[in-house]
Amino acid sequence: MQFPESWLREFCNPALSTEALAETLTMAGLEVEELKPVAPPFTKIVVGEIREAVQHPDADRLRVCQVDVGQGAFLNIVCGAPNARVGIKVPCALVGAKLPPGEDGKPFLIKVGKLRGVESQGMLCSARELKLSEDHGGLLELAAGAKVGQDIREHLNLDDTLFTLKLTPNLAHCLSVYGVAREVAALTGAPLKVPASPPVAISGVDKLPVTISAPDLCGRFSGRIVRKVNTRAITPAWMVDRLARCGQRSVTALVDISNYVMFELGRPSHIFDLDKIHGGLDVRWGKAGESLKLLNGNTVTVDEKVGVIADSQQVESLAGIMGGDATAVSDTTENIYVEAAFWWPKAIAGRSRRYNFSTDAGHRFERGVDSGQTVEHIERITQLILDICGTPDTVCGPIDDLQVNMPQAAPVTLRVARAVKVIGMPLTQLQCADALRRLGLPVTEGEGTLTVTPPSYRFDLQIEEDLIEEVVRMVGYQQLPATPPLAPITARLRPEAQRSAFAVRRALAGLGYQETINFSFVEERWEHELAGNPNPIKLLNPIASQMSVMRSSLLGSLLQVLKFNLDRKAARVNVFEVGRVFLRDLASLNTDTTVAGFDQPMRVAGLAYGPRESLQWSLSDKGVDFFDVKGDVQALLSPLQAVFTPASHPAMHPGRSASVAVNGRVIGFVGELHPQWRQGYELAQAPILFELDLDVLLQRLVPVFQPVSKLQPVERDIAVIVAEGVTHASLMAGIHGADTQGLLRSATLFDVYKPKQGSTAMQLGEKSLAVRLVLGSDDATLTDEQIEVVTQAVLASLQLRLQARLRA
């Protein structure tokens, strides 16, 4: 919010400099974002009156003016402004004056010169030349009562300063000059000038019928009819100037009056053309299909969630946001209806953003406006209308004040001990009570408590913490002691059997993967297709239509990253992500880190596409396959031993995917992308993906000392013939399932043979597997009998489990 310092000091004028006042406001929570002078520095510019203006003898567009600047003799000044005429008062730069810097950054010095042979003893100035505005259509015309010869800075109060406040939403009571003055008075103890709004003389009896059909939209609606006003009246210069310094341009007298009171008292209001209203007004929610042309020229369509003011034929205004064009005042308006209402903030909040614009009125109403001052504010507006637009025939009707759903102020109690604990500094009950009373709040004292019934303009005071905030604002945030936190420092040592998530990221980076970070909000189609999740967790207010659900798998995000890189001609893509997924889980309860009904585990997922290795002369350009990524998963889990079992996954190829299990628990999947989704994503080859639970990856086995045997181990090689469908895992299970009396140290498959045609030893559909057995004992050297017993036990186990036979 922007306003001039001079206006603020009319209500409250503390003995503080501009900078000190700004610091006081900032330290009370009303952050002064910027201090800016109204006008740049310039000197020797005074009020001048044109006494004579004649045509230049050698130039059609120049006039030779005789200007009175209060020095006795008139100055001869040549001027080319189209509005240079006898009788007006304008800024006059005397010889030696320094105008504000131009585009070159240097001040413009006024000297005696000649224009087309005529001497000019100064310069008549426009607003743009003084850097007061961008208007350069002619000379800046001053008020007729301006004193000739007076310094223009004094006359226009150009040594004023513009304050720009950055207010938080809970400070809506400060969205006016008087609201800020009220805070200054409380902070500094300077007297506050309360604006008086005496009732105007009533000379009419008619009222406009008004119905409030939506009490949840409008709690109070006040209005009055004023007839026979002069809408062509010129807005006074002082009002135009103040509006400009608040960042508001002048429109018409009636609109300017409404805006002026809004900046002065924080009350947005609206003035209707009475003769354009059909019947009475109905304050209600909109109806589907209704439309309204607004004052800004836009035509909007309303529905049941948008409040409106309507007459018997059409919608006339967006409630609390902007008036309609149909009932706007114009130069032909004679009779008006002045309205001031209390709109419930929740009924206004967000409505203007639906139509991609915002207004000062909507900004205030959605934060809250005083519900108890509508009548007083209408009296203030009416008085200004009579002063500026009034005529001898003007008639003011009585105020019609409808109150159907007024907010009820509930008492709020402050516990002094609680305030001391929250604020962090010692305070007495007397100090707390004094702070609240300085704010104009009625305080009732109890034993260690203070109870406040908030006035209507302090609608933000609802809980104890609100009063605590008011106390600390009045005491001053700068008074808070700088107390360093005192707490025992305890190192959080990670157990040796656990590694950090960063270590997992570093391990994947070492395997050649690059980390990506993606949104947890994903497209609903991904959940159905890639995660097999028919009921994903939907967002109530998604940031985009394609990000409407919470992900239950990381694979969709990685495929999106792959597609993004392929579209930019990347030939090789190896990426991973460590992130959270969101699952429905009825067993989850509300705790500090969980939400009832939802499980949010961490997972790690990776994707490999293209050549296995970057282009290099010593390596082949072989494409990545299932076994490459399987090896990466094994390296990531090491030293934990993973078991890979053929399995199905919605996102993976039905014959080229496997589940990953550790210690009997399935922790994820690895496999090739399903051909259906490969075709859908238009991929030249199938990427290989994996997704694992992070908590298992964070576990690691603690090394345990084992002495090296002093006795040499024994190696025996066996070759067995088995069915072609026998897997390595089943072979190892058969070997280690034999009764080897603890003498088998390891078993390693070192050869696989498949005959091209049937032979005497093997048939089609069979294969030979050669395994090296390592045997040993810590007690004594193995004998031939012990070795033979172990070997036969292994062969017997393989024959029983796999129907294997020894290859001759």
Side-chain angles (χ1 to χ4, degrees):
M1 186 184 75
Q2 178 180 298
F3 59 87
E5 180 184 3
S6 59
W7 197 0
L8 173 65
R9 289 187 180 272
E10 283 189 9
F11 289 111
C12 183
N13 188 15
L16 297 175
S17 66
T18 300
E19 291 72 19
L21 178 58
E23 177 68 14
T24 300
L25 288 172
T26 298
M27 295 312 298
L30 285 72
E31 180 185 352
V32 179
E33 190 174 29
E34 183 182 17
L35 291 176
K36 185 172 67 175
V38 170
F42 52 77
T43 59
K44 298 190 70 174
I45 300 178
V46 300
V47 176
E49 181 180 0
I50 301 177
R51 292 297 187 91
E52 181 181 328
V54 298
Q55 187 68 41
H56 191 288
D58 294 328
D60 294 338
R61 296 186 179 181
L62 297 179
R63 289 182 176 84
V64 180
C65 302
Q66 298 297 311
V67 182
D68 181 7
V69 293
Q71 296 180 353
F74 295 165
L75 299 181
N76 192 72
I77 298 177
V78 180
C79 178
N83 63 333
R85 63 187 187 277
V86 175
I88 65 171
K89 294 180 179 179
V90 295
C92 179
L94 306 177
V95 174
K98 288 185 178 180
L99 268 64
E103 294 181 357
D104 59 358
K106 298 180 181 179
F108 186 72
L109 183 63
I110 302 299
K111 302 177 182 178
V112 176
K114 285 189 177 182
L115 293 176
R116 294 289 184 93
V118 177
E119 184 177 72
S120 184
Q121 300 169 332
M123 174 180 171
L124 303 182
C125 305
S126 68
R128 186 178 187 181
E129 289 163 338
L130 298 180
K131 301 294 190 218
L132 300 181
S133 74
E134 291 302 313
D135 182 14
H136 59 283
L139 301 177
L140 175 60
E141 298 188 26
L142 305 176
K147 182 181 178 181
V148 172
Q150 184 182 24
D151 190 294
I152 200 69
R153 299 192 73 90
E154 180 183 351
H155 173 69
L156 295 179
N157 194 18
L158 297 183
D159 293 321
D160 201 357
T161 302
L162 299 182
F163 277 59
T164 301
L165 300 189
K166 187 177 181 181
L167 299 176
T168 52
N170 65 314
L171 295 174
H173 61 283
C174 295
L175 283 170
S176 65
V177 178
Y178 178 68
V180 177
R182 197 163 43 204
E183 292 289 312
V184 172
L187 292 166
T188 64
L192 175 67
K193 179 183 176 182
V194 180
S197 301
V200 301
I202 297 175
S203 50
V205 295
D206 53 339
K207 296 182 180 181
L208 181 69
V210 176
T211 302
I212 301 178
S213 301
D216 56 336
L217 167 66
C218 177
R220 184 177 187 180
F221 195 95
S222 306
R224 97 173 340 147
I225 292 174
V226 183
R227 297 186 182 275
K228 303 297 182 181
V229 295
N230 177 21
T231 55
R232 297 185 182 88
I234 303 300
T235 306
W238 61 267
M239 182 176 287
V240 173
D241 179 64
R242 280 192 172 172
L243 289 174
R245 295 183 185 187
C246 290
Q248 179 69 49
R249 66 180 180 86
S250 175
V251 183
T252 64
L254 289 175
V255 175
D256 291 347
I257 290 170
S258 178
N259 288 335
Y260 181 84
V261 174
M262 178 182 67
F263 287 116
E264 180 184 46
L265 303 175
R267 164 74 58 190
S269 59
H270 188 61
I271 301 177
F272 296 85
D273 187 325
L274 180 65
D275 298 325
K276 296 178 182 178
I277 299 176
H278 305 91
L281 295 179
D282 186 13
V283 182
R284 59 174 173 81
W285 293 106
K287 299 176 183 178
E290 288 184 322
S291 63
L292 167 67
K293 184 178 181 181
L294 298 171
L295 290 174
N296 61 6
N298 295 346
T299 299
V300 299
T301 301
V302 302
D303 56 24
E304 296 84 355
K305 295 183 180 180
V306 178
V308 299
I309 302 175
D311 61 17
S312 60
Q313 294 186 8
Q314 61 185 355
V315 175
E316 301 293 0
S317 175
L318 276 185
I321 299 174
M322 184 180 288
D325 181 69
T327 54
V329 295
S330 64
D331 289 345
T332 60
T333 299
E334 291 187 358
N335 307 312
I336 60 174
Y337 180 74
V338 183
E339 163 265 316
F342 165 70
W343 307 98
W344 286 99
K346 290 183 179 180
I348 305 301
R351 269 57 174 189
S352 61
R353 286 184 287 277
R354 294 180 53 181
Y355 304 112
N356 297 321
F357 68 85
S358 61
T359 63
D360 286 324
H363 181 81
R364 285 164 170 79
F365 278 126
E366 67 184 2
R367 285 161 174 75
V369 172
D370 184 1
S371 62
Q373 297 289 316
T374 57
V375 172
E376 290 79 1
H377 293 172
I378 284 185
E379 294 289 3
R380 172 64 170 156
I381 295 171
T382 305
Q383 187 61 59
L384 289 172
I385 291 174
L386 294 178
D387 293 342
I388 299 171
C389 303
T391 68
D393 299 325
T394 299
V395 176
C396 289
I399 294 179
D400 186 18
D401 184 24
L402 298 180
Q403 301 183 35
V404 295
N405 186 20
M406 295 288 286
Q408 302 299 318
V412 183
T413 298
L414 166 71
R415 294 166 292 174
V416 177
R418 169 69 175 165
V420 170
K421 183 177 180 181
V422 172
I423 295 173
M425 64 181 293
L427 291 172
T428 65
Q429 182 166 328
L430 181 61
Q431 287 176 297
C432 294
D434 177 65
L436 297 175
R437 289 193 175 101
R438 282 159 51 195
L439 286 165
L441 304 177
V443 179
T444 302
E445 297 193 42
E447 187 65 33
T449 63
L450 301 171
T451 301
V452 172
T453 301
S456 59
Y457 64 87
R458 290 308 306 266
F459 38 81
D460 59 305
L461 302 179
Q462 299 177 0
I463 58 177
E464 183 179 19
E465 283 71 15
D466 294 332
L467 295 183
I468 295 175
E469 180 185 8
E470 296 304 300
V471 170
V472 73
R473 285 201 312 116
M474 291 299 103
V475 171
Y477 291 110
Q478 69 275 18
Q479 302 298 329
L480 295 178
T483 306
L486 299 176
I489 299 176
T490 304
R492 298 185 61 184
L493 299 178
R494 185 181 297 110
E496 190 177 0
Q498 184 180 7
R499 60 178 172 175
S500 67
F502 179 77
V504 174
R505 291 183 171 93
R506 186 168 53 190
L508 279 166
L511 292 170
Y513 292 81
Q514 292 182 317
E515 184 176 10
T516 65
I517 300 175
N518 302 291
F519 280 108
S520 297
F521 317 135
V522 299
E523 191 173 347
E524 187 171 2
R525 179 173 64 89
W526 295 0
E527 285 297 299
H528 297 322
E529 296 176 353
L530 301 175
N533 183 7
N535 185 26
I537 301 170
K538 295 185 178 181
L539 298 171
L540 295 177
N541 187 24
I543 60 176
S545 59
Q546 70 273 20
M547 305 172 74
S548 59
V549 301
M550 304 296 289
R551 64 183 179 184
S552 63
S553 170
L554 304 180
L555 298 181
S557 301
L558 294 183
L559 284 173
Q560 183 186 38
V561 172
L562 170 65
K563 183 65 175 172
F564 181 88
N565 283 272
L566 293 181
D567 290 343
R568 284 149 185 82
K569 308 303 180 183
R572 178 176 178 270
V573 180
N574 281 25
V575 292
F576 77 94
E577 181 180 5
V578 177
R580 197 173 297 280
V581 297
F582 303 86
L583 312 171
R584 297 186 184 275
D585 182 10
L586 298 179
S588 294
L589 302 176
N590 271 323
T591 68
D592 293 340
T593 58
T594 61
V595 178
F598 301 97
D599 187 21
Q600 305 173 58
M602 292 288 291
R603 289 186 183 171
V604 56
L607 177 148
Y609 179 92
R612 175 58 183 163
E613 301 290 346
S614 299
L615 185 62
Q616 188 182 147
W617 65 270
S618 64
L619 298 173
S620 68
D621 58 353
K622 167 184 164 308
V624 66
D625 60 19
F626 172 87
F627 296 101
D628 292 321
V629 177
K630 176 187 174 186
D632 290 341
V633 172
Q634 288 177 314
L636 188 62
L637 286 167
S638 180
L640 298 176
Q641 296 297 316
V643 176
F644 297 85
T645 306
S648 61
H649 187 280
M652 297 180 183
H653 194 297
R656 300 176 186 174
S657 61
S659 64
V660 183
V662 175
N663 296 328
R665 171 191 166 191
V666 176
I667 64 167
F669 292 84
V670 57
E672 184 180 296
L673 182 65
H674 197 291
Q676 180 179 357
W677 312 137
R678 173 186 167 186
Q679 182 178 3
Y681 282 94
E682 299 179 351
L683 302 177
Q685 64 189 72
I688 313 299
L689 312 101
F690 68 87
E691 184 172 20
L692 308 171
D693 292 337
L694 181 63
D695 60 342
V696 176
L697 291 174
L698 301 183
Q699 301 172 11
R700 59 182 177 182
L701 298 176
V702 179
V704 178
F705 171 76
Q706 289 183 342
V708 178
S709 177
K710 296 179 181 180
L711 303 175
Q712 185 174 356
V714 176
E715 296 180 352
R716 287 290 184 270
D717 293 344
I718 62 173
V720 293
I721 299 173
V722 296
E724 192 171 355
V726 172
T727 64
H728 174 268
S730 59
L731 175 69
M732 292 297 110
I735 293 174
H736 289 287
D739 182 12
T740 60
Q741 302 175 9
L743 300 179
L744 180 63
R745 292 288 186 262
S746 65
T748 305
L749 176 68
F750 66 88
D751 182 63
V752 178
Y753 171 70
K754 298 179 182 178
K756 295 183 179 179
Q757 297 180 351
S759 65
T760 56
M762 300 175 60
Q763 302 176 3
L764 290 176
E766 293 183 329
K767 62 183 177 181
S768 171
L769 302 178
V771 181
R772 175 162 295 170
L773 306 178
V774 178
L775 311 178
S777 173
D778 295 333
D779 300 327
T781 302
L782 296 180
T783 63
D784 289 341
E785 291 79 6
Q786 290 175 307
I787 296 172
E788 184 65 20
V789 169
V790 172
T791 303
Q792 292 301 320
V794 169
L795 290 173
S797 176
L798 292 176
Q799 181 180 8
L800 178 64
R801 293 170 180 253
L802 305 178
Q803 291 74 49
R805 64 182 186 276
L806 186 66
R807 181 181 175 187

